[in-house]
Amino acid sequence: MKSVKISPDHFSILEKMKLGEIDRKNLYIKTYKKGEYIFYQNEEIKNIFIIYSGKVGVTLDSSKGHRLLLAIYSPNSMLGDIEFFNKSCTVSNAQALSDTAVICISYTDIEKLRNHNEFIYLLGQILAKKLTRNIKNNSINILNAADIKIAAYIAGICENNIFDVNLSKLSELLGISYRHLLRRLKAFCENGYLLKIKDAYKITDLNSLKELAGDYYITDDWQI
């Protein structure tokens, strides 16, 4: 992880997030390599993070040691907003799924915008979108729609049309059995979505995967 000062190249996203009045001299960019954590569950943080580039997976650790994928965040998404309002430690883990850059804004500077109606309204929209997404995702989890979860994960993290992850860990993240995951991946190959190549899969029909996945897991807070 590296930290650098914010540059004019990053100002446009601040305008989108109604943060044009923020004191920019206190802002900085943190960059994370794929696999690095932005924060861990039950950690005290002091910043809101706006994803500038890359993708971030948000997971929840259960009391029994299991880890469940909640969402995949893309650029223009915000992390740390729930903790800001709740004055709480982090409720989840946030891990870079690819090389990622985030803009860090201290809670102290965010506090100064409490009377900034446009920004507070935007935060309300973002939180409402997250609540709606969680309701939809929970319904899919209850219905155990494995194909949707698998397709959404593949479409969300794929790079260069190659899907290459630890399938044992993936089955735990998605909340399905390892054997069932293998069956569904085989079905995806039979349907022409994937092609098995050694220990990985080549994505041959990304559009069909995205259509099957809908907006499950994937979120972009600015698209509200």
Side-chain angles (χ1 to χ4, degrees):
M1 181 266 292
K2 295 192 302 182
S3 297
V4 296
K5 280 291 185 180
I6 196 169
S7 71
D9 294 339
H10 306 111
F11 291 167
S12 62
I13 191 172
L14 297 177
E15 297 293 340
K16 283 184 179 181
M17 290 290 186
K18 311 301 181 185
L19 289 166
E21 297 183 12
I22 202 82
D23 187 354
R24 295 178 181 176
K25 72 176 184 294
N26 295 327
L27 303 183
Y28 58 97
I29 296 282
K30 280 188 175 181
T31 58
Y32 298 85
K33 295 292 186 181
K34 179 179 179 180
E36 288 187 313
Y37 281 83
I38 299 169
F39 54 75
Y40 291 94
Q41 189 170 321
N42 295 321
E43 179 181 338
E44 183 178 352
I45 57 175
K46 297 181 180 179
N47 298 293
I48 274 181
F49 305 94
I50 298 175
I51 301 173
Y52 180 74
S53 63
K55 292 181 180 179
V56 176
V58 173
T59 58
L60 181 70
D61 293 335
S62 73
S63 58
K64 295 183 178 180
H66 300 298
R67 178 164 289 183
L68 183 67
L69 181 66
L70 299 179
I72 298 173
Y73 285 87
S74 54
N76 300 322
S77 297
M78 185 179 291
L79 302 169
D81 47 345
I82 294 174
E83 291 78 5
F84 170 73
F85 280 108
N86 287 342
K87 305 297 182 186
S88 65
C89 291
T90 52
V91 296
S92 56
N93 309 290
Q95 183 184 26
L97 299 178
S98 62
D99 290 350
T100 297
V102 299
I103 301 174
C104 303
I105 308 172
S106 73
Y107 284 167
T108 301
D109 285 330
I110 294 295
E111 285 280 1
K112 297 175 183 177
L113 298 177
R114 278 187 175 273
N115 296 322
H116 192 288
N117 292 336
E118 283 189 329
F119 175 65
I120 295 301
Y121 181 70
L122 178 66
L123 279 182
Q125 287 182 297
I126 290 172
L127 291 171
K129 181 180 178 182
K130 288 180 178 178
L131 176 60
T132 301
R133 186 201 68 231
N134 287 341
I135 291 172
K136 290 171 63 177
N137 288 1
N138 284 340
S139 67
I140 292 175
N141 281 330
I142 292 171
L143 295 172
N144 196 28
D147 283 8
I148 296 176
K149 292 191 281 188
I150 297 168
Y153 187 84
I154 296 173
I157 71 157
C158 72
E159 294 182 345
N160 302 318
N161 286 327
I162 296 296
F163 175 57
D164 183 13
V165 300
N166 184 309
L167 296 182
S168 179
K169 291 183 178 179
L170 178 60
S171 66
E172 181 179 334
L173 275 179
L174 301 185
I176 58 180
S177 73
Y178 177 74
R179 184 173 295 181
H180 189 48
L181 173 61
L182 292 181
R183 284 198 295 264
R184 299 324 302 157
L185 289 175
K186 180 180 179 181
F188 278 18
C189 291
E190 293 171 349
N191 290 335
Y193 305 157
L194 303 174
L195 177 67
K196 188 76 167 66
I197 48 172
K198 295 184 179 179
D199 295 326
Y201 293 86
K202 181 179 180 180
I203 300 170
T204 52
D205 191 349
L206 182 58
N207 289 334
S208 291
L209 287 174
K210 288 182 176 180
E211 184 177 351
L212 176 59
D215 59 358
Y216 190 71
Y217 287 145
I218 309 300
T219 185
D220 175 347
D221 289 338
W222 176 242
Q223 300 297 326
I224 53 179

